[in-house]
Amino acid sequence: MAEKIVLIDGYSILSRAFYGIHAGMTNFEGIHTNAVYGFLNIMMKILDEEAPQYLAVAFDVKAPTFRHKLYEAYKGTRKGMPEELTEQVPVLKEVLAAMGIPSVELAGYEADDILGTLSARCEREGLSVILVSGDRDMLQLASGRTKIRIPRTKGGSTFVEDYHEADVREKLGVTPSEFIDVKALMGDSSDNIPGVPGIGEKTAYKLIQEYHSLEAVYEELEHIKPERAKKALASGKEFAQLSKTLARIDRDCPVEFSLEEARLGDLFTPEAYEILKRLELKSILNRFPSAGQMESQAKQDFRLIEEKKEADAVLAEALSAQLAGFQLLSDSGETAGLALAFGEDDVYVMKAGEELSGQDLEEAARAVAMRGKPSWTLDLKEMLPALRIGETDGLCDAGVAGYLLNPLKSGYVYDGLAREHLAMTFPSREDLLGKSSYKEAFSEKTEAVLACGGYMAYTAWKAGPILLEKLRQTGMERLFLDIEMPLIYSLFHMEEAGIRVQREALEEYGRKLGEQIAVLEQEIYGLSGEVFNINSPKQLGVILFEKLKLPYGKKTKTGYSTSADILEKLAPEHPLVSKILEYRQLAKLKSTYADGLAAYIGGDGRIHGKFNQTITATGRISSTEPNLQNIPVRMELGREIRKVFVPEDGYVFVDADYSQIELRVLAHMSGDRRLIAAYHEAQDIHRITASQVFHIPFEEVTAEERRNAKAVNFGIVYGISAFGLSEDLSISRKEALDYINQYFETYPGVKAFLDGLVASAKEQGYVSTMYGRRRPVPEISSSNFMQRNFGERVAMNSPIQGTAADIMKIAMVEVDRRLRREGLRSRLILQIHDELLVETAPDEVEQVKTILREEMDGAASLSVPLEVDMNVGKSWFETK
């Protein structure tokens, strides 16, 4: 069999990947990576399928070509490449070079010409050629030896169209060389090739299919029908000849190329690994061999300790060191090892075994954590069940510090921190251990777990001071030390306490939902006139838009859209739609809560969920396993789920909720005198806003006017658009815009403040909360309008939402501290958005209420009062 070469049209495939993959894909440095990621995926797919012996990628050079000299307007209609794509070109070339793949380019010629020339040369040398491009111009190069592969996207999935010479004839009705003549007649708007004015695609194909060449068309001009086409051809002959020259790919350009340099070697080099690791393209990295073989910068001089005498000596050194890093290696509460680092050459991993028990290692870790000198670790909250310590001076979590410095990342583990803050490339835990636990790894692959533990402790030790200095430089040191670090302990206390759930009540709630869902199903079948799968958007779309002929039908490739916004717009048109919406709400309640929550109830009858402080970009705490932040509150049946959450026998719940905290933060941060005055009047803020915005006496404001004002009040906080407000209030866009403009006329300080945030984000690339928390806004400089618009909303909302989150964190830390300091049996068990829930001993109710009020009121000093709504109940439902 003949050897094979793959030739790739670099810009074409890179551009296709850029527009086909989410533009917000970036690495820790903020470098966009979507195009590089997509390009490499397409390249790997082609290599897997073709198994070639050679590979090269051709690129255009940013310089006029011979075509521009022939026709100045050539490609004159093309827009410039978006900045997010432009920045990825040198990155891709760097990756290709690291993989040993030649990039071929030549000033004065396009990539098409290079590919045409190389394919012709390779054909002459007896090679089979696979040419990969998104540009159909390449079809003129198809032959018995050259196959053109064009990636296409349809229905959200990518596939590749293949064209040999016979395929071009079959699918287009012309030969590859005749395809050039078709382009000469019809032109090409994407390249601004003029073609013959008045000759369209259909006529061009018909003429070439009949006469086979442009020259033959003009030789037979007198016989061309219809007359209109003949006249167009006669007057456009010069354009036709010019267009043929422009459309023909030059297959003999003077490009230098060595076939031997294009021979495929091992693509998965250490250099490529490091670049892709920095780009955070994990799925591409999975193609590399064992990560341990790829690390060129990784330290490997870690020492394993199994004897108690040696462990004691190392521990003594760690306790006296100026700076220490440590990590307990535990899975499911079982400690298998302890990693310690206190110098470049002082990195040790202690293994639990005959001489060192897991408890010995936990006591050693506790001693390091509480030594009163700077100690750094990762994921401290997960180690607290074993450490059993309270707030400790000098102990810091490197992951939380990394989160503050870059809150847009998906995780803050040691290899990412090392890459971002130490410029070092370490294999991840998954690379080293796969899915093995630490205990399993110690018995099966000791060297791997030694490396993993060593990297963790070393990264914590080495990166800790660097992270702290960066926090100091960015004004976030106090935020880290005074808010985020103490918060770790409060979150741990809430996870440990958990919240009690009545399993029987939960099952009854599920049964009740099931009965109502069954009734709704029958009502839906009755209204639709037939039985169908209500959960199938395709079947539902047919019922709504074909059978019932309802408006707003949006046909997609897979059927009609039946999304929530479409159904809500349809609701007034037919009673069936309201039933569908209700059915969906009840079905979600049943699956997510009635059925879903039961799986999380522990043996003690309580749910011990996870509270995460390094997930959201704004600083808000999130909740998982299960997500209690999303407990429904808007519909009555949804609120009833709170009835199953109850306190310990003999206890009650005290619930404290900040009232309109984000609006109050907006009033304070904007300094708008009128909004501040409205809060000081201690009246209904939405009614006051309606009165001032709509110029209506306060006493005459209607319920609808108050509702509209409330939507504007909260919408402003989230940077709502006229379109968004019009959808929320079911009013015209013009009315919505008038509402927003009237609001800003009433509160000009708010308008100036929000405009200032957007301007600051554009200048600095980030916005900040009152406490200095930074939220990067890379989208605000995007060339994509939708992305840029999203960035502006983020810039307006993040300082407000983030400041409210900071205030809540301060409050919950202080409430938790006081409950413990004052020796109360009551305990903080839940934080949901702006709400704290305390499981309270009956004789401590008034003391708990005092603590909540004092600490929540005192969490921040604003120019408007912080208001706390407080309720007591025997279930979470009763407190609301």
Side-chain angles (χ1 to χ4, degrees), residues 403-408 617 761 765-767 774-779 794 798:
Y403 160 71
L404 287 180
L405 291 167
N406 186 353
L408 302 184
Y766 65 88
V767 287
R774 290 188 178 186
R775 201 295 192 185
V777 194
E779 302 89 349
V794 166
S798 292

Side-chain angles (χ1 to χ4, degrees), residues 132-170:
V132 186
S133 174
D135 189 349
R136 287 172 65 85
D137 289 351
M138 292 294 169
L139 295 181
Q140 64 184 272
L141 302 179
S143 70
R145 280 192 171 274
T146 294
K147 177 170 67 176
I148 313 301
R149 307 204 66 185
I150 301 179
R152 296 279 306 278
T153 302
K154 188 175 182 181
S157 59
T158 298
F159 63 100
V160 180
E161 285 184 350
D162 292 339
Y163 293 89
H164 274 110
E165 182 177 2
D167 301 307
V168 175
R169 281 201 304 268
E170 180 185 340

Side-chain angles (χ1 to χ4, degrees), residues 124-137:
R124 288 196 294 270
E125 292 187 32
L127 274 70
S128 293
V129 179
I130 309 300
L131 206 156
V132 186
S133 174
D135 189 349
R136 287 172 65 85
D137 289 351

